[in-house]
């Protein structure tokens, strides 16, 4: 864990190294001051030498000034190092997430990744700042003060040694009990964030079904879980304070009693006792700092482990050496392909699929819910890898392609249409960054989107709200299709991407595809038979296998599944027409 995190210090190493050096210099100045104060009492005041008092006093002022300077500078460098470290952590996590395959992303929830990049990074940042400053200052101050007390009188040093051993044992016990609870806390944070995200995204549904009270109760339940876990952890961490207070006052009482006896016996001077009390305070403050840092480190340890899980996760899909960068044509071959999701590797969702799709062919894909239509399509641009068998595009196994080159030539419009905040032009240019206005318009005409875009007052410069909230479902689908067409792919996959489009517009889109991009292989996954009945071939999926294939007329004759779907949709269409 620590190795993965510390790699991200990057160009802030200088500040991270300079901070402890400055802290050490600050501590040295502070440790010398009590000795000088003792000298003032023993050599200046006792002997009534004003000159000695002034000389030593001036030196003390210089030491105090240096301590202040080193303290201020260490604060600046610590802040710079910790904030830079946090920035690098977020950047590294974000870059790593961008490299993840779908199977990697499936391991982490969206809310979990957001929590890791916000709350967890903040915890680690605070812990890092404390580590390079307080965690350096406290032990060095503790050790220096211990050495000084040993030089003044060894018996006093033994008192602190016993106290430190007892405190170390208590802190170790608290750590072993509190850390598992804090890991649960951050897991519950993920759940809470997921519920908030789900509620905000589905706000219109919540209000339409008047489920605000239900959602509030769900949030309260999750918040209560976090509260109860935090209470359990804080009960353990709260033991630090009474143990520390007990140790502090015990030390003061013992030193006061022993010091008084030693002064009477003549084995200790008043100045030495005064400096001893200063060192006692330094030691106990250092112990208190260690305790505070310890609590922060326990809390951040769970966060650090969660961050390192992301940083150490290796993408499942990567380029092979000398990867192929040219896709010859839009042919697709499945050869005894089988596929199971990593989360349930023992159950195949696709089994023994073999099919050859010719370049420029229009393929319809139909099947019931859960029949693996989308999984079949996801294997072509290598969003997942088959677990057995082989998938080839342009005659080359997809595993041998450069991923960017393959996906540039296989455009896929997913079931869930995603648009980003920005103008229509900016969203469309995701398909081709340097696309001209003419290319944008041509793609939108193909997708039957140009007409409604021109109806907007700002036209192609119309601003799209986050998630396309100010567009209808059909408008979002057509923009996503246009964005895919801008890539000028050899293979175009539409995964139920016209479900929100009316049948007339759907027909116009299919007509435009057939007439204007005849060389592009088109794989259309649909629920409506009307969307695919004029395809060159239709594949009927059932339980992860191709149950039947053929034209619309052939399937009506040979496939019971296809015939049942067709009859149910024909009947529904007739009923709708009667009602209208």
């Amino acid at each position: 864990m620590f190795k993965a995190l510390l790699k991200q210090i990057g160009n802030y190493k200088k500040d991270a190294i300079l901070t402890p050096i400055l802290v050490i210099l600050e501590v040295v100045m502070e440790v010398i001051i009590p000795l000088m104060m003792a000298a003032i009492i023993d050599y200046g005041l006792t002997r009534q030498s004003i000159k000695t008092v002034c000389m030593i006093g001036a030196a003390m002022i210089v030491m105090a000034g240096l301590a202040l300077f080193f303290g201020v500078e260490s604060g600046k460098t610590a802040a710079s190092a910790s904030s830079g470290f946090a920035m690098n952590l977020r950047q590294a996590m974000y870059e790593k997430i961008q490299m993840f395959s779908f199977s990697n992303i499936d391991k982490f929830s969206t809310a979990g990744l957001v929590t890791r990049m916000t709350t967890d990074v903040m915890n680690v940042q605070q812990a890092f700042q404390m580590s390079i400053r307080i965690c350096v200052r406290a032990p060095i101050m503790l050790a220096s003060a211990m050495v000084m007390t040993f030089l003044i009188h060894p018996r006093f040093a033994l008192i602190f040694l016993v106290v430190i051993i007892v405190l170390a044992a208590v802190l170790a016990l608290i750590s072993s009990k509190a850390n598992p609870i804090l890991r649960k806390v951050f897991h519950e944070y993920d759940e809470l964030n997921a519920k908030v995200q789900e509620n905000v995204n589905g706000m219109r549904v919540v209000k339409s079904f008047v489920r605000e009270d239900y959602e509030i109760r769900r949030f309260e339940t999750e918040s209560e879980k976090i509260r109860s876990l935090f209470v359990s952890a804080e009960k353990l961490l709260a033991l630090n304070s009474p143990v520390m207070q007990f140790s502090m006052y015990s030390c003061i009482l013992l030193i006061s009693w022993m010091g008084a006896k030693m002064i009477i016996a003549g084995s200790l001077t008043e100045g030495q006792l005064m400096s001893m009390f200063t060192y006692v305070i330094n030691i106990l403050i250092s112990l208190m700092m260690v305790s505070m840092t310890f609590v922060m480190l326990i809390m951040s340890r769970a966060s650090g482990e969660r961050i390192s899980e992301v940083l150490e996760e290796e993408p499942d899909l990567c380029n092979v050496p000398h990867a192929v960068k040219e896709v010859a044509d839009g042919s697709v071959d499945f050869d005894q392909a089988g596929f199971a999701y990593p989360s349930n590797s023992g159950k195949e969702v696709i089994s023994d699929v073999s099919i050859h799709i010719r370049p420029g062919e229009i393929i319809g894909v139909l099947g019931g819910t859960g029949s693996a239509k989308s999984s079949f399509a996801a294997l072509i641009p290598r969003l997942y890898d088959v677990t057995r068998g082989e998938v080839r595009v342009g005659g080359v196994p997809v595993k041998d392609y450069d991923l960017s080159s393959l996906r540039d030539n296989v455009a896929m419009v997913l079931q869930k249409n995603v648009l980003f905040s920005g103008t229509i032009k900016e969203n469309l240019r995701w398909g081709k960054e340097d696309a001209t206005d003419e290319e944008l318009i041509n793609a939108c005409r193909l997708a039957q989107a140009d007409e409604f875009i021109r109806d907007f007052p700002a036209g192609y410069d119309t601003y799209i709200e986050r998630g396309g909230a100010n567009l209808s479902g059909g408008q979002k689908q057509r923009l996503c299709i246009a964005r895919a067409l801008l890539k000028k792919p050899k293979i175009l996959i539409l995964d139920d991407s016209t479900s929100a489009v009316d049948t007339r517009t759907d027909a116009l889109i299919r007509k435009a595809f057939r007439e204007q991009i005849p060389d592009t292989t088109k794989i259309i996954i649909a629920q409506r038979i009307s969307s695919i009945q004029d395809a060159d071939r239709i594949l009927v999926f059932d339980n992860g296998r191709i149950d039947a294939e053929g034209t619309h007329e052939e399937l009506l004759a040979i496939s019971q599944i296809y015939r049942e779907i067709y009859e149910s949709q024909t009947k529904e269409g007739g009923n709708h027409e009667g009602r209208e």
Side-chain angles (χ1 to χ4, degrees):
M1 176 186 78
F2 294 108
K3 187 177 180 181
L5 295 178
L6 293 177
K7 278 183 182 178
Q8 306 309 322
I9 296 175
N11 55 333
Y12 293 92
K13 282 181 182 177
K14 179 182 175 182
D15 286 340
I17 294 170
L18 189 58
T19 299
I21 294 173
L22 291 168
V23 167
I24 291 170
L25 292 172
E26 180 189 8
V27 169
V28 169
M29 299 299 109
E30 291 181 2
V31 167
I32 293 173
I33 288 173
L35 287 179
M36 300 177 78
M37 186 169 59
I40 286 178
I41 294 172
D42 292 339
Y43 300 106
L45 297 179
T46 303
R47 298 176 184 178
Q48 297 183 350
S49 173
I50 299 299
K51 182 179 179 182
T52 302
V53 172
C54 291
M55 288 177 61
I56 298 175
M60 284 180 66
I61 291 172
V62 173
M63 291 294 178
L66 288 173
L68 176 64
F69 172 77
F70 292 135
V72 170
E73 289 302 310
S74 67
K76 290 180 181 178
T77 54
S80 172
S82 61
S83 59
F85 175 53
M87 180 187 72
N88 288 346
L89 271 181
R90 290 192 186 95
Q91 185 69 25
M93 288 175 68
Y94 192 77
E95 289 176 4
K96 197 62 177 279
I97 292 167
Q98 299 306 308
M99 301 300 294
F100 282 172
S101 65
F102 277 31
S103 55
N104 291 117
I105 293 172
D106 290 343
K107 295 179 184 178
F108 304 97
S109 67
T110 303
L113 290 172
V114 171
T115 305
R116 282 168 167 85
M117 293 187 68
T118 51
T119 305
D120 288 333
V121 169
M122 183 180 67
N123 288 339
V124 170
Q125 176 184 352
Q126 291 175 347
F128 180 71
Q129 185 171 5
M130 295 179 78
S131 297
I132 61 176
R133 198 174 182 203
I134 297 176
C135 282
V136 173
R137 176 187 171 82
I140 291 176
M141 175 63 81
L142 186 65
S144 301
M146 284 284 291
V147 169
M148 291 301 177
T149 56
F150 185 82
L151 292 175
I152 293 171
H153 206 291
R155 194 180 298 175
F156 288 118
L158 291 175
I159 295 173
F160 298 123
L161 187 61
V162 172
V163 170
I164 290 169
I165 292 172
V166 171
L167 284 174
V170 172
L171 295 179
L173 179 63
I174 292 171
S175 174
S176 64
K177 299 291 185 183
N179 194 59
I181 298 174
L182 289 168
R183 279 195 67 84
K184 290 181 182 177
V185 167
F186 290 113
H187 174 72
E188 292 300 330
Y189 265 128
D190 291 349
E191 295 296 319
L192 185 71
N193 285 341
K195 284 180 171 56
V196 172
Q197 186 178 32
E198 182 182 54
N199 180 265
V200 172
N201 288 339
M203 185 59 70
R204 289 174 174 80
V205 178
V206 172
K207 290 191 174 298
S208 64
F209 282 88
V210 197
R211 299 286 281 177
E212 293 91 342
D213 290 341
Y214 171 75
E215 289 296 324
I216 290 170
R217 287 195 299 272
R218 285 180 68 199
F219 187 85
E220 285 176 350
T221 301
E222 203 59 47
S223 296
E224 175 59 27
K225 288 180 184 178
I226 294 173
R227 187 201 65 81
S228 61
L229 285 170
F230 253 128
V231 167
S232 300
E234 291 292 347
K235 283 180 180 177
L236 292 169
L237 297 175
L239 293 174
N240 274 325
S241 183
V243 171
M244 198 65 62
Q245 295 289 337
F246 177 77
S247 303
M248 180 185 295
Y249 293 123
S250 297
C251 287
I252 291 173
L253 286 172
L254 283 170
I255 289 169
S256 299
W257 177 65
M258 291 174 62
K261 291 181 67 176
M262 288 178 182
I263 289 173
I264 293 171
S267 59
L268 192 73
T269 67
E270 290 87 347
Q272 287 176 325
L273 181 61
M274 181 68 70
S275 62
M276 182 65 69
F277 274 118
T278 304
Y279 288 128
V280 168
I281 298 300
N282 285 343
I283 288 172
L284 295 176
I285 289 175
S286 298
L287 289 173
M288 188 66 78
M289 286 182 178
V290 169
S291 175
M292 290 168 55
T293 307
F294 171 77
V295 171
M296 188 66 230
L297 289 177
I298 287 181
M299 294 184 67
S300 66
R301 179 183 168 186
S303 293
E305 288 171 351
R306 285 158 52 83
I307 291 170
S308 64
E309 285 174 2
V310 177
L311 295 176
E312 293 174 352
E313 177 77 12
E314 290 301 323
D316 291 337
L317 305 182
C318 55
N319 289 332
V320 297
H322 311 295
V324 178
K325 295 191 176 182
E326 293 293 331
V327 178
D329 56 49
S331 64
V332 179
D333 292 278
F334 278 71
D335 186 5
Q336 293 296 310
F339 170 67
Y341 285 100
S343 58
N344 191 8
S345 56
K347 183 181 179 182
E348 283 193 338
V349 294
I350 288 180
S351 302
D352 302 315
V353 171
S354 295
I355 187 75
H356 172 68
I357 299 172
R358 298 181 297 275
E361 194 172 10
I362 301 175
I363 298 294
V365 180
L366 191 72
T369 303
S371 59
K373 306 184 297 297
S374 296
S375 300
F376 165 78
L379 297 174
I380 299 172
R382 204 186 170 199
L383 300 180
Y384 293 96
D385 269 340
V386 290
T387 48
R388 61 185 178 90
E390 190 174 66
V391 178
R392 296 186 295 276
V393 170
V396 177
V398 291
K399 292 181 181 179
D400 293 342
Y401 277 111
D402 173 76
L403 279 170
S404 297
S405 300
L406 174 65
R407 291 172 185 172
D408 274 341
N409 285 276
V410 182
M412 188 171 183
V413 184
L414 300 170
Q415 278 179 308
K416 188 176 180 181
N417 302 286
V418 178
L419 294 171
F420 300 90
S421 53
T423 65
I424 290 176
K425 281 185 180 179
E426 289 169 348
N427 271 272
L428 291 172
R429 286 193 171 115
W430 274 64
K432 185 182 178 184
E433 195 172 350
D434 58 349
T436 64
D437 287 352
E438 185 179 351
E439 287 177 311
L440 297 180
I441 292 168
N442 287 337
C444 288
R445 283 175 179 167
L446 266 174
Q448 306 301 308
D450 181 63
E451 185 178 349
F452 79 77
I453 293 173
R454 291 187 184 278
D455 286 340
F456 292 134
Y460 281 81
D461 292 314
T462 298
Y463 188 83
I464 298 176
E465 301 293 341
R466 182 176 176 272
N470 56 334
L471 298 176
S472 70
Q475 289 172 336
K476 285 192 286 187
Q477 286 185 336
R478 282 177 278 174
L479 284 177
C480 289
I481 293 170
R483 182 174 61 189
L485 289 171
L486 272 171
K487 296 173 73 173
K488 296 182 180 177
K490 289 185 170 65
I491 300 170
L492 176 65
I493 301 172
L494 303 181
D495 186 357
D496 203 18
S497 303
T498 58
S499 57
V501 174
D502 62 85
T503 52
R504 177 181 172 276
T505 304
D506 188 13
L508 289 172
I509 292 172
R510 286 184 281 114
K511 181 183 178 184
F513 284 177
R514 185 177 288 278
E515 293 176 354
Q516 299 185 45
I517 50 171
D519 297 330
T520 300
T521 304
K522 295 164 281 289
I523 299 173
I524 304 170
I525 301 171
Q527 299 292 338
R528 297 185 304 210
I529 287 181
S530 61
S531 297
I532 56 172
Q533 67 181 23
D534 59 349
D536 298 323
R537 274 188 296 165
I538 300 170
L539 310 180
V540 180
F541 270 80
D542 185 41
N543 292 323
R545 298 174 185 269
I546 297 178
D547 180 75
E549 65 173 287
T551 63
H552 172 67
E553 290 75 16
E554 290 171 346
L555 289 173
L556 284 175
I558 64 173
S559 173
Q560 182 180 350
I561 295 174
Y562 188 84
R563 192 163 52 248
E564 287 175 353
I565 295 172
Y566 177 74
E567 288 173 355
S568 65
Q569 291 184 3
T570 304
K571 185 178 179 181
E572 287 175 6
N575 289 341
H576 287 314
E577 288 174 5
R579 281 195 296 271
E580 289 174 354

